[in-house]
Amino acid sequence: MADYMEIVNPANLEILEKIESADQQKVDEAVANAKQAWPKWAAMAPNDRAKLMRAFAKTVEENASELALIESKNVGKPIEDAKWEILEVAQVLLYYSGAVDKHYGATIPVAGGVDMTFNEPLGVVGAIVPWNFPALITSWKVGPALATGNVIIVKPAEWTPLSAIRLSEIALDCGIPKGVLTVLPGRGPVAGMGLVSHSDVAKIAFTGSTNVGKLIMQRASETIKRVTLELGGKSANVIFADADLDEAAKAAPMAVFGNTGQDCCARSRIIVEARVYEKFLEKLISYTKEVVVGDPLDSNTQVGPLVTKEHRARVDSFINPLESGVEVIFESKLPDLGGAFSPLRILATTKKTARVANEEIFGPVVTVIPFKDETEAIELANSTVYGLSGSIWTNSTGRALRVARALRSGTLSINSNSSVRTSTPFGGMGMSGIGRELGMEALRSYTEVKNVFISDHI
Ligand code: NAD
């Protein structure tokens, strides 16, 4: 019997659609179709491939309002954020359309002939995507995969498949051949693992939780599949006393509460120099009070609901009951809208081992921790198993550089909370993952280097 997934609007718990979840047979069909489409796509003149990708980017841009509404309703994302993300999707596709003919091999000086390398596509790539940025993260995988001559099957998250489905329809309308970009909605252990186990899938590009990443890496080993893993984070926002405290405090709330805290780069630990701790906290609370939580379809809203009630229960489990040594110093009021809304919470602790200082909550909760000097700041920032992102606020260039070099984190910003730009590499260290997405760097993980030597003796 067919298995249907209920797709719910978290702002009002209304069922938007019921989508059939792919079983193993559907996975096998999708892989067979992709495999058939691959040789033609890989052999297409680079200019023609680039043209199709440009058309795809342009049509996404033209349909940004429709796609943003889909994303907003499905994820509970504020509509203005959703619009920005869809325009970013178009930008990512456009960027990679320009990369089609710019990722090439080398000739290497050797004795007795000529040696050259080719960057060849892998074949069928499987992408497994989370629910927090469904369209955007899809584009991070589709862009470099298609540009380098691969075909791709995207498995969106169970809760949020709608924008990816629409993107695949747009791709077809733009002339991207059938089988080149397939969206396969389904459950993780069935459709996701089906792709991971399939011997005709050459690579899995995964974004999601660290625990599922471990399972995927394990299973991928059976077919020696390439994997890139973009996993969880517990990023530190390190604030030194010499920083512009007001700017740092103004930026801090949305650096963690943006996307309702469901952001792998959320600065969910604020590590602040002890001598400005009280002053900073006062400013942090005051700026947090200004954050507008409300209906995602209201253009003034900055923070919507959590993605589901189930996820809200997981977030709440970090607070109720509250572990010892942790204090709730601010909790916002809930809007009277029903849905899966959650208060914004600021916690404080000096207990380095506190769960809320180490584990990814993935909700609107920030933990503030004081430090006494630069050495302790680095030690604290590096003290979790993760290493995805982070910020350093200081007016000393030397300190900014020293601390940035000392932090075990793949993506850092100084006097800023920005993590992601289309043209720059993004990814994690430690349990935050393997590999980099975005920028020209991403192209490497979608290609295999082949070396060819031609003798000059014959
Ligand atoms: P998740 O790991 O539960 O799910 C992610 C995807 O994996 C979904 O498509 C899901 O269906 C699939 N999946 C689940 N179980 C599976 C299995 N056994 N086999 C194969 N696939 C399976 O993560 P989530 O809750 O959707 O997303 C939140 C997590 O994603 C957070 O930890 C967050 O930090 C992380 N994330 C990381 C980045 C990054 O770039 N590093 C970006 C966004 C989100």
Side-chain angles (χ1 to χ4, degrees):
M1 218 175 69
D3 168 22
Y4 283 88
M5 303 177 295
E6 277 187 354
I7 312 303
V8 176
N9 179 343
N12 54 20
L13 306 182
E14 178 197 329
I15 297 174
L16 295 168
E17 267 184 64
K18 289 185 184 173
I19 303 270
E20 190 176 344
S21 168
D23 56 10
Q24 188 58 47
Q25 194 189 334
K26 288 242 159 56
V27 173
D28 292 343
E29 278 168 21
V31 175
N33 290 337
K35 196 177 166 188
Q36 205 182 359
W38 178 47
K40 220 169 150 192
W41 180 251
M44 190 180 276
N47 214 10
D48 293 339
R49 202 156 66 219
K51 242 188 238 169
L52 287 174
M53 290 186 67
R54 275 202 302 277
F56 186 17
K58 186 162 175 271
T59 315
V60 169
E61 191 175 348
E62 285 165 1
N63 289 278
S65 300
E66 179 216 345
L67 280 157
L69 191 60
I70 292 174
E71 198 78 320
S72 174
K73 284 187 172 174
N74 195 171
V75 187
K77 211 177 264 292
I79 188 71
E80 293 304 315
D81 290 0
K83 277 184 200 155
W84 180 86
E85 284 169 31
I86 298 298
L87 292 176
E88 278 298 300
V89 170
Q91 181 54 40
V92 169
L93 295 171
L94 190 63
Y95 175 85
Y96 284 111
S97 75
V100 167
D101 54 3
K102 295 175 190 67
H103 184 57
Y104 36 72
T107 53
I108 302 167
V110 291
V114 175
D115 195 283
M116 54 190 160
T117 63
F118 295 86
N119 291 333
E120 297 195 341
L122 305 172
V124 180
V125 170
I128 302 180
V129 173
W131 44 259
N132 56 342
F133 295 96
L136 191 56
I137 292 178
T138 295
S139 74
W140 293 1
K141 302 179 191 316
V142 168
L146 298 193
T148 44
N150 299 280
V151 294
I152 188 164
I153 301 172
V154 178
K155 202 231 48 89
E158 289 84 334
W159 291 335
T160 59
L162 301 184
S163 58
I165 292 172
R166 186 69 192 109
L167 283 174
S168 69
E169 292 166 356
I170 290 175
L172 268 184
D173 290 348
C174 292
I176 292 185
K178 196 164 178 288
V180 170
L181 165 57
T182 310
V183 169
L184 190 70
R187 302 194 190 274
V190 181
M193 233 3 136
L195 288 172
V196 179
S197 309
H198 206 295
S199 54
D200 285 336
V201 174
K203 169 192 163 130
I204 293 291
F206 173 73
T207 301
S209 61
T210 297
N211 281 340
V212 174
K214 286 184 201 171
L215 290 178
I216 286 176
M217 199 171 174
Q218 229 167 28
R219 185 69 68 84
S221 72
E222 288 170 14
T223 44
I224 313 292
K225 221 174 241 56
R226 279 77 187 124
V227 286
T228 43
L229 303 174
E230 296 289 352
L231 308 175
K234 187 77 184 175
S235 297
N237 198 355
V238 185
I239 315 231
F240 286 97
D242 67 0
D244 184 328
L245 278 194
D246 199 57
E247 283 298 320
K250 204 187 290 177
M254 288 311 285
V256 57
F257 302 135
N259 212 44
T260 326
Q262 305 162 122
D263 183 341
C264 54
C265 294
R267 271 59 169 169
S268 54
R269 289 184 297 152
I270 298 180
I271 300 179
V272 56
E273 193 161 348
R275 62 196 168 94
V276 291
Y277 181 81
E278 294 300 337
K279 192 168 158 197
F280 179 81
L281 221 53
E282 211 175 285
K283 285 177 182 287
L284 177 68
I285 292 170
S286 149
Y287 283 119
T288 299
K289 284 181 180 164
E290 290 178 11
V291 174
V292 182
V293 182
D295 176 1
L297 295 182
D298 181 335
S299 61
N300 292 317
T301 294
Q302 292 174 285
V303 173
L306 286 165
V307 69
T308 57
K309 280 183 9 181
E310 293 88 324
H311 185 55
R312 183 175 62 187
R314 187 185 167 273
V315 169
D316 282 345
S317 73
F318 282 88
I319 313 295
N320 300 312
L322 196 64
E323 60 194 305
S324 70
V326 178
E327 196 189 344
V328 178
I329 53 174
F330 174 78
E331 183 167 308
S332 72
K333 289 198 179 62
L334 278 182
D336 194 13
L337 291 169
F341 285 89
S342 169
L344 313 181
R345 292 173 171 124
I346 302 174
L347 314 181
T349 189
T350 51
K351 190 169 134 192
K352 290 180 188 169
T353 55
R355 274 184 77 207
V356 295
N358 288 278
E359 293 179 28
E360 186 182 43
I361 300 175
F362 224 55
V365 183
V366 67
T367 305
V368 189
I369 311 160
F371 69 81
K372 62 175 186 306
D373 57 20
E374 191 176 305
T375 308
E376 194 185 23
I378 293 168
E379 189 195 312
L380 275 169
N382 282 340
S383 65
T384 75
V385 295
Y386 297 112
L388 187 57
S389 195
S391 295
I392 302 155
W393 292 81
T394 173
N395 272 334
S396 155
T397 315
R399 165 172 283 154
L401 199 54
R402 276 195 308 278
V403 178
R405 297 298 301 272
L407 294 195
R408 295 281 304 153
S409 183
T411 321
L412 288 164
S413 51
I414 292 158
N415 295 329
S416 154
N417 286 323
S418 117
S419 287
V420 173
R421 287 158 300 273
T422 304
S423 56
T424 63
F426 169 71
M429 293 185 182
M431 301 281 260
S432 286
I434 296 178
R436 294 293 177 267
E437 295 199 294
L438 296 172
M440 296 299 274
E441 187 71 26
L443 302 174
R444 282 214 259 168
S445 66
Y446 288 90
T447 47
E448 204 79 84
V449 177
K450 181 183 281 174
N451 191 68
V452 176
F453 171 75
I454 311 174
S455 166
D456 60 11
H457 295 338
I458 297 167

